[in-house]
Amino acid sequence: MSDVHLLDVQLTNLTMLLTIRDSLHLDRVRTCARFALDAAQADRFLTLGTHQIMAIVANVGQVNLFPPRSDLVSLLALPLPVARPFAVVQPTKRAAG
């Protein structure tokens, strides 16, 4: 088994994405309020497996996703090879709330 080394930004992104997904399983309403998610965004998070989240984090690289970007859910839905370029060139307006 090989070791995976994440940079601080990647570790933060991984932790936050897993926290949001797992929190949605426990208390959907509170998690949606805490992270300013609508129902469609919550549904998208719930479809993500751990391997998918890890792949997203690896492909986005050193782009900070938190505090939540206004385009975070759209970014998560992109094919992995284009996630990093999209994250870099899109404005990083923060989600309201």
Side-chain angles (χ1 to χ4, degrees), residues 36 63-71 91-97:
V63 176
N64 191 4
L65 301 176
F66 296 93
R69 297 167 51 121
S70 59
D71 63 346
T92 56
K93 294 179 190 171
R94 302 297 179 203

Side-chain angles (χ1 to χ4, degrees), residues 47-87:
T47 67
L48 297 173
T50 302
H51 290 324
Q52 289 173 296
I53 291 173
M54 292 175 69
I56 290 165
V57 168
N59 279 279
V60 170
Q62 295 187 58
V63 176
N64 191 4
L65 301 176
F66 296 93
R69 297 167 51 121
S70 59
D71 63 346
L72 179 60
V73 174
S74 299
L75 182 67
L76 297 177
L78 290 173
L80 292 176
V82 298
R84 184 183 313 204
F86 184 87

Side-chain angles (χ1 to χ4, degrees), residues 12-43 45-46 65-73 76 93-97:
T12 299
N13 288 339
L14 177 63
T15 302
M16 291 299 296
L17 291 171
L18 290 171
T19 298
I20 292 170
R21 191 221 32 213
D22 294 346
S23 295
L24 283 166
H25 285 291
L26 297 173
D27 189 339
R28 183 182 174 104
V29 173
R30 180 176 284 179
T31 302
C32 285
R34 180 174 289 157
F35 294 101
L37 301 174
D38 62 29
Q41 293 168 331
D43 290 341
F45 266 101
L46 289 170
L65 301 176
F66 296 93
R69 297 167 51 121
S70 59
D71 63 346
L72 179 60
V73 174
L76 297 177
K93 294 179 190 171
R94 302 297 179 203

